[in-house]
Amino acid sequence: MRVQAFMFYGCALFFLAADIVYWLWSGDWTGTTAMALAVGLAGLVGFYIHFTIRRLEKANAGRPLPEDDKDGEIADAAGELGFFSPHSWWPLFLGLSAAAIVLGLVFGWWLFFIGVAAVLMSAVGLVFEYYRGQFAH
């Protein structure tokens, strides 16, 4: 899977070169900024994939991952894939709290501050959801 990381690094380099050429020829700041954001996004995704692959290879005792083995079988990748959240109400509360912040900017500062407090409580609830209760691990 290292190939995927280097594909995104290559995209970031291509976008960087295209961005420089675009800026020199057009002088348009809007398009230059948008292309610079594309450089950052491709680099960010490439870094994340590269970092994740390094962690997975360490967990796999230095052996290549099953999808990187040219002689690998489908059964080589069998087993637990990771932890996936069964359900959560916290994103809903976080979204409603963010909506209260936006409405507070429109209707009054008192609602804005209530929304900020609700966002903080919702974020703490989301982060620490699996440290207590039925799904604690």
Side-chain angles (χ1 to χ4, degrees):
M1 259 174 64
R2 258 184 224 283
V3 174
Q4 288 90 340
F6 290 116
M7 283 175 39
F8 278 101
Y9 290 148
C11 286
L13 287 175
F14 172 76
F15 291 148
L16 180 64
D19 190 22
I20 292 170
V21 169
Y22 180 81
W23 179 61
L24 292 174
W25 281 1
S26 72
D28 176 32
W29 286 101
T30 307
T32 303
T33 304
M35 291 182 70
L37 290 173
V39 171
L41 182 63
L44 182 71
V45 172
F47 175 76
Y48 173 76
I49 292 173
H50 198 174
F51 180 76
T52 303
I53 293 306
R54 286 183 49 212
R55 280 189 27 219
L56 288 174
E57 285 178 350
K58 283 182 185 178
N60 203 20
R63 295 184 311 253
L65 298 174
E67 55 265 21
D68 290 335
D69 187 8
K70 293 181 181 179
D71 298 325
E73 297 290 328
I74 293 175
D76 293 341
E80 185 176 332
L81 296 177
F83 175 74
F84 299 98
S85 179
H87 69 280
S88 178
W89 286 95
W90 289 109
L92 174 67
F93 298 143
L94 200 56
L96 291 174
S97 303
I101 288 176
V102 172
L103 289 174
L105 293 173
V106 173
F107 293 114
W109 287 104
W110 60 272
L111 185 58
F112 174 80
F113 291 120
I114 290 172
V116 168
V119 161
L120 291 175
M121 289 189 296
S122 299
V124 168
L126 180 68
V127 169
F128 293 111
E129 177 176 16
Y130 293 106
Y131 286 94
R132 55 188 296 255
Q134 180 183 1
F135 297 108
H137 61 271

